[in-house]
Amino acid sequence: QPVRRLTDDAVVGWKATGRGKPGTELADTLALLDEAVTLGLVERLDWAFRALVFERALGAGVHETVHLTPEPQTFLSPCPPRLAVAVGRGRRELDVAAEVHADGLIDLGKLDRAVTEMRGWGWRMVLADVADEPAAVRAVELVRPEFVQVDLSRLGRASSPAVAAFLAAARGVGSEVMALGVDSPSHRVQAVSLGATLGRGQ
């Protein structure tokens, strides 16, 4: 899914999302992840997804930022040897941004160590719309993300005091705001009103 600059609609990044085989119950991202949790395969799935994303992005000659979401269960885990070549090449040759969602805020100590590791790989960081989480502002200060997200599909985001505090903290560390759910001109206006410079459709 393209990440677009709101001023001129230029594509500046791509969000990679894992899905199972089309036409099956695992075609839904959350269903695929739930099945991986049930089978104890989250780490294997997450590393395989990263390797596949990197291979496809490199094969397609992608120069824009590749956005992906490492699962918290995979934070600080070693890359499987069989995937090391693909993952290593992706780290060296791609501009990668890792998204952190609410489940990544459960253990801030682990998150801090994981961010340090990902920064060591040269990755940039994205903090998803976690404004309603008690640790949201602390997470901004900890992660110091290049990007923060606001999900326009969630009701009340534009007028939420929690979102305002989240964005204020983000501005304080120099984060760029990305709006999700920019599917119409009115959404674009709403996104810009929140200070967003980037947008992604649903």
Side-chain angles (χ1 to χ4, degrees):
Q1 189 179 53
V3 176
R4 298 183 182 276
R5 194 163 51 216
L6 293 177
T7 52
D8 59 5
D9 216 34
V11 175
V12 295
W14 300 93
K15 176 60 168 66
T17 303
R19 295 186 175 90
K21 184 177 180 179
T24 71
E25 61 182 15
L26 298 183
D28 176 77
T29 301
L30 294 180
L32 177 64
L33 183 57
D34 286 345
E35 185 69 10
V37 170
T38 300
L39 297 173
L41 298 175
V42 174
E43 286 188 19
R44 289 177 61 182
L45 177 68
D46 199 13
W47 279 110
F49 173 68
R50 293 186 206 180
L52 180 61
V53 168
F54 292 165
E55 286 178 344
R56 291 192 174 179
L58 290 167
V62 168
H63 298 291
E64 299 83 11
T65 305
V66 176
H67 294 246
L68 49 77
T69 305
E71 294 301 323
Q73 297 98 312
T74 316
F75 287 172
L76 306 173
S77 70
C79 175
R82 66 185 181 84
L83 301 175
V85 172
V87 170
R89 187 180 172 210
R91 287 178 184 165
R92 292 191 304 272
E93 300 182 28
L94 292 171
D95 177 23
V96 179
E99 291 187 7
V100 176
H101 291 254
D103 53 357
L105 276 56
I106 295 172
D107 184 341
L108 290 182
K110 184 177 182 181
L111 175 61
D112 187 25
R113 297 191 301 275
V115 169
T116 297
E117 180 179 63
M118 289 185 278
R119 293 285 192 196
W121 300 334
W123 290 10
R124 295 193 279 173
M125 302 303 302
V126 184
L127 194 55
D129 191 342
V130 298
D132 298 324
E133 298 295 320
V137 172
R138 176 73 186 99
V140 171
E141 296 167 350
L142 182 71
V143 176
R144 303 185 71 84
E146 281 79 4
F147 310 99
V148 294
Q149 293 178 353
V150 178
D151 190 346
L152 301 182
S153 69
R154 297 175 63 184
L155 296 178
R157 303 322 275 163
S159 59
S160 167
V163 169
F166 176 62
L167 293 180
R171 284 192 292 272
V173 299
S175 304
E176 193 169 4
V177 179
M178 181 190 313
L180 305 187
V182 182
D183 299 317
S184 70
S186 63
H187 292 155
R188 185 181 295 264
V189 170
Q190 184 181 0
V192 171
S193 73
L194 288 169
T197 56
L198 304 173
R200 192 153 57 84
Q202 293 290 63

